[in-house]
Amino acid sequence: MGKRMIAGPARVRQALIRMCLGIGLLGTASSAWCLEARIEGVEGDVADNIRQYLDGLDATALSRSRIESGVQRRTREAMRVYGYYSPQIVHKLDENDPPDYVELAIEPGPRVTIETLEFRLEGDAADDPPFEQALDAFPLEIGDPLVHAPYDRLRGRLANLSLERGYFDWRFVDRRMEVRPYAESARLYLHLDSGPRYRFGDVTFAGSHIEEQRLRNLLPFAPGDPYLAGELASFNQRLGQTNWFNTITVRPRLEESASLVLPERESGFWNTLELEGDDARVSQDSRDTTTEPRLSEDALAAASSLNQPKRSTVPIDVRVTPADRHQFEIGLGYATDVGPRTRFSWEQPWINRYGHGLDHELFLSAPEQRFTGTYQMPLDDPLRDSYRFQYGFRNLDNEDTQSLQATIEAARRWEFDNDWVQTLFLRSTFEDFTQAGDEQQVLLVYPGISWSRTRTRNPTFPTWGDRQRLSFEVSDGLWGSGADFVRVTGETQWIRMVGNDNRFVGRAGLGTIETSEFNEIPPSLRFFTGGDRSVRGYSYESLAPRNEQGELLGGQQLLTASIEYQRRVTGDWWGATFVDTGDAFDDWGPTDLNTGAGLGVRWVSPVGPVRFDIAHPFDDDDSWRIHFAIGPEF
């Protein structure tokens, strides 16, 4: 097919960083000089390109005459890539040795224009849309001034597409840029023969300790599908997300054809091949009696391609090494809500050939101590479908709440194509608690379902992200639960950047418990708010209905909202201003919400974001509260 094309940009040499330094030490001085170009006659991209070419000229290492010839040669090379092939260049070096600058008076002369654009695709790529799109995107037309860069970019783009899309026998049958300065014209030719498009072949695994079928279930392609390099990258990423492996290599196996070209022998006077006249004969003095036929590599390649069946599939080799079976991690942090906190985790990413995993975590802080264990059982699609069995113990002593809790849970998890995760669970909780002087023991058995989604860019300090979660839980005495209730919770959080220096964070949360036996509901299911991550200006979980003695009871409903604006001050330091509002209450339609506002500082440290806020609650004119926390927002 014929199509327009761009003249290849002459290779712009990498410009050296221009430095002119003078250093004096103990009465001696040494200098390094750069050659500055002062240009008249051309400007814009052409002048900039000339300066880049001359930046690579080391004036301190060359004689004056060689500097002058280098200036002429490099200036002409820099102008050719923009179609100026017949410039008149007058140069003048300054009198210093080495020279500091060169003055260039340039008459660019006529500019070469494009006379012919002939691009052709052959092979399976002729019907592959990305190749056609690459040709259509070529920016030059017949009659346009010649510029080399678009031609070189198109050539590179076609080569990359060929490799990315499985045309492993591709070659340029013709790639020419014919420039005729005397006619002020250029002819551009590019003829790609892609050959057949390869398809995925068999996938073989080596080094895996996991059942092979589970790995095959992660494949984003099937044998026989058209080859795409991006699918291999996706498969590599999926294998990594399982946490089963320490190293992963996914590669196509491209068979290297055995060379049919005879190796070159050392030639001497005794075995010289004479090619004088029409006959070719070996010298009679030859000590080499070998009579093997010898062909050139090109001739042999052409001959061997005749009637040769092409292998149209490419096998995929996957090599992995197992991840450490036991992994330990210790985390330290601090927040004004809970004070110093420590987390110790013991992870077993795989405990058998089915990829089952077992994790344990111990969390310690002043008001709360928690130990949990989770057994993960991946299903056919290990990243999307799994069973989870969890158990845990929790002790809480905060404000007017004392609670000792034991929980077991069985859950089924699904992850959908839109990144939403659905979890169906059955939970049993025994809680021995005292809330505002009311002592209770309750055993609850309740099923539930939740939907959640988290999306983020740069998880440590997101420049974009959002998180949603919605949960329903039901408890009833019909199946032996100690209290009847329906509990619904929902939360959303958003992070957006405007430009590079403005960041907005918004969040909202709500919850409700419908029950006639609220005194039987344990503190872990009641609603409290206030603190670093809810309504700043108030202490941790200090906002909730209270009894006649002023002790916290917890609420049946919850509503919170927050908006925060952050502005980059310098580097990783940000300033912040915010307004938070919310409360926990017993009846919908509260007459008043607790609101706080303040200022803060954010530092994106190597160990995670550090947040420091000073907040003022609106219902107490004399009160101020400091909030300090370390850790990601999601």
Side-chain angles (χ1 to χ4, degrees):
M1 57 175 289
K3 198 66 182 170
R4 46 185 191 167
M5 170 151 198
I6 186 167
R11 203 176 279 175
V12 178
R13 305 172 187 272
Q14 183 179 9
L16 300 176
I17 299 176
R18 302 180 59 179
M19 296 185 301
C20 295
L21 303 175
I23 302 174
L25 180 62
L26 297 178
T28 65
S30 62
S31 359
W33 302 91
C34 60
L35 187 64
E36 178 188 355
R38 302 177 181 179
I39 301 172
E40 294 182 359
V42 293
E43 57 186 15
D45 291 341
V46 179
D48 291 341
N49 205 39
I50 293 172
R51 292 188 179 95
Q52 286 184 324
Y53 270 59
L54 294 182
D55 274 344
L57 189 64
D58 186 359
T60 63
L62 301 174
S63 66
R64 200 172 184 85
S65 62
R66 293 192 65 182
I67 294 173
E68 291 178 337
S69 64
V71 166
Q72 284 281 341
R73 175 175 56 81
R74 292 181 180 228
T75 301
R76 294 180 184 278
E77 289 176 358
M79 296 185 68
R80 284 174 188 163
V81 302
Y82 287 98
Y84 296 102
Y85 277 77
S86 304
Q88 300 297 320
I89 304 170
V90 177
H91 69 271
K92 180 181 179 182
L93 297 175
D94 77 291
E95 300 301 326
N96 294 327
D97 189 20
D100 293 328
Y101 64 87
V102 59
E103 295 178 349
L104 295 173
I106 301 174
E107 173 57 47
R111 192 174 185 183
V112 169
T113 58
I114 298 173
E115 177 184 75
T116 301
L117 288 174
E118 187 175 314
F119 303 151
R120 296 169 56 194
L121 294 173
E122 290 185 2
D124 290 352
D127 299 319
D128 199 350
F131 287 85
E132 181 67 23
Q133 292 166 5
L135 296 186
D136 291 341
F138 187 72
L140 299 182
E141 302 278 359
I142 292 176
D144 288 346
L146 174 64
V147 182
H148 289 203
Y151 179 82
D152 287 347
R153 285 198 296 267
L154 177 61
R155 186 175 60 188
R157 178 61 178 155
L158 293 179
N160 289 337
L161 279 173
S162 298
L163 294 176
E164 291 170 3
R165 301 183 66 80
Y167 299 95
F168 298 119
D169 299 326
W170 73 276
R171 65 190 182 102
F172 284 118
V173 177
D174 191 6
R175 51 175 183 178
R176 286 179 293 147
M177 179 186 294
E178 295 181 356
V179 181
R180 304 179 180 187
Y182 61 88
E184 301 175 14
S185 67
R187 300 175 180 178
L188 308 184
Y189 303 91
L190 197 60
H191 177 190
L192 173 71
D193 182 0
S194 70
R197 185 175 185 181
Y198 281 62
R199 294 179 176 271
F200 286 111
D202 294 333
V203 181
T204 59
F205 295 88
S208 176
H209 55 295
I210 302 298
E211 187 181 59
E212 185 173 302
Q213 186 56 47
R214 291 188 175 268
L215 305 185
R216 293 190 180 277
N217 290 340
L218 294 170
L219 285 169
F221 57 86
D225 288 348
Y227 178 91
L228 277 174
E231 299 282 36
L232 296 186
S234 176
F235 183 44
N236 193 309
Q237 182 181 34
R238 291 185 182 187
L239 291 173
Q241 289 173 344
T242 65
N243 296 320
W244 292 336
F245 307 108
N246 188 33
T247 62
I248 303 168
T249 303
V250 181
R251 291 179 179 173
R253 189 196 314 153
L254 301 177
E255 294 181 357
E256 298 181 0
S257 301
S259 177
L260 298 178
V261 183
L262 297 177
E264 295 293 335
R265 295 187 178 88
E266 293 184 4
S267 296
F269 66 89
W270 61 86
N271 63 354
T272 302
L273 183 65
E274 298 179 359
L275 300 175
E276 300 290 341
D278 296 330
D279 298 330
R281 61 187 181 278
V282 178
S283 170
Q284 294 179 357
D285 291 351
S286 174
R287 300 180 185 178
D288 184 359
T289 59
T290 301
T291 59
E292 294 173 312
R294 302 181 64 79
L295 297 175
S296 72
E297 184 173 359
D298 290 340
L300 185 55
S304 63
S305 66
L306 297 176
N307 299 321
Q308 285 287 328
K310 291 291 185 181
R311 178 175 59 82
S312 57
T313 60
V314 53
I316 305 300
D317 292 330
V318 181
R319 294 183 177 275
V320 296
T321 59
D324 294 338
R325 195 164 189 171
H326 300 277
Q327 301 176 13
F328 301 92
E329 182 179 344
I330 297 178
L332 302 175
Y334 180 87
T336 49
D337 282 349
V338 298
R341 58 192 181 191
T342 301
R343 184 180 63 87
F344 176 80
S345 67
W346 169 27
E347 297 184 5
Q348 295 174 267
W350 60 275
I351 60 176
N352 55 33
R353 64 190 182 95
Y354 301 109
H356 295 184
L358 181 61
D359 301 335
H360 289 93
E361 180 177 281
L362 176 64
F363 175 84
L364 300 174
S365 68
E368 181 183 5
Q369 302 82 47
R370 182 176 66 244
F371 175 77
T372 59
T374 303
Y375 187 90
Q376 296 278 359
M377 183 184 297
L379 299 178
D380 288 343
D381 188 338
L383 297 180
R384 292 180 177 268
D385 302 324
S386 64
Y387 285 111
R388 181 187 66 193
F389 303 95
Q390 188 172 23
Y391 60 90
F393 303 93
R394 176 175 180 255
N395 180 63
L396 178 66
D397 187 353
N398 180 62
E399 296 281 351
D400 301 315
T401 303
Q402 292 83 40
S403 171
L404 182 62
Q405 177 185 5
T407 301
I408 58 173
E409 177 182 296
R412 172 70 162 86
R413 177 185 183 275
W414 298 263
E415 181 175 340
F416 305 115
D417 292 338
N418 58 7
D419 295 330
W420 280 94
V421 176
Q422 175 180 278
T423 304
L424 184 65
F425 58 88
L426 177 64
R427 183 178 301 152
S428 177
T429 297
F430 174 79
E431 193 159 348
D432 184 355
F433 66 91
T434 300
Q435 184 68 51
D438 183 16
E439 297 184 7
Q440 295 283 348
Q441 291 183 346
V442 62
L443 174 64
L444 299 177
V445 178
Y446 55 97
I449 187 170
S450 69
W451 297 272
S452 63
R453 182 178 69 177
T454 299
R455 302 179 297 177
T456 182
R457 300 170 188 166
N458 183 21
T460 302
F461 192 71
T463 56
W464 181 96
D466 54 69
R467 180 180 62 183
Q468 281 73 238
R469 189 176 188 278
L470 179 64
S471 176
F472 295 89
E473 299 160 333
V474 179
S475 176
D476 197 292
L478 290 175
W479 51 76
S481 188
D484 297 345
F485 66 83
V486 175
R487 187 173 188 265
V488 182
T489 58
E491 61 178 329
T492 182
Q493 184 173 354
W494 299 79
I495 295 176
R496 293 293 186 266
M497 290 278 289
V498 177
N500 294 322
D501 300 324
N502 301 283
R503 189 170 183 261
F504 292 88
V505 180
R507 66 175 181 266
L510 60 85
T512 182
I513 301 174
E514 293 299 326
T515 181
S516 60
E517 304 170 301
F518 186 70
N519 62 316
E520 300 290 337
I521 304 300
S524 60
L525 296 178
R526 300 184 188 187
F527 294 113
F528 303 83
T529 190
D532 298 340
R533 292 183 175 269
S534 56
V535 185
R536 285 163 286 189
Y538 300 87
S539 61
Y540 177 55
E541 295 193 347
S542 63
L543 299 179
R546 297 174 181 264
N547 61 15
E548 295 178 354
Q549 289 74 39
E551 298 171 318
L552 289 167
L553 294 173
Q556 290 186 239
Q557 283 84 33
L558 173 75
L559 178 64
T560 61
S562 174
I563 184 67
E564 179 172 320
Y565 168 66
Q566 300 173 2
R567 171 74 180 181
R568 190 194 304 270
V569 178
T570 180
D572 291 328
W573 290 88
W574 298 68
T577 182
F578 57 86
V579 177
D580 303 330
T581 189
D583 202 355
F585 40 88
D586 289 329
D587 297 306
W588 281 112
T591 58
D592 191 17
L593 292 177
N594 295 279
T595 301
L599 301 174
V601 175
R602 308 288 180 265
W603 175 43
V604 188
S605 76
V607 297
V610 176
R611 301 186 298 278
F612 179 84
D613 295 322
I614 299 178
H616 170 61
F618 286 0
D619 60 1
D620 187 346
D621 293 339
D622 297 325
S623 178
W624 294 88
R625 187 170 180 84
I626 294 176
H627 297 272
F628 178 79
I630 302 175
E633 289 155 310
F634 282 170

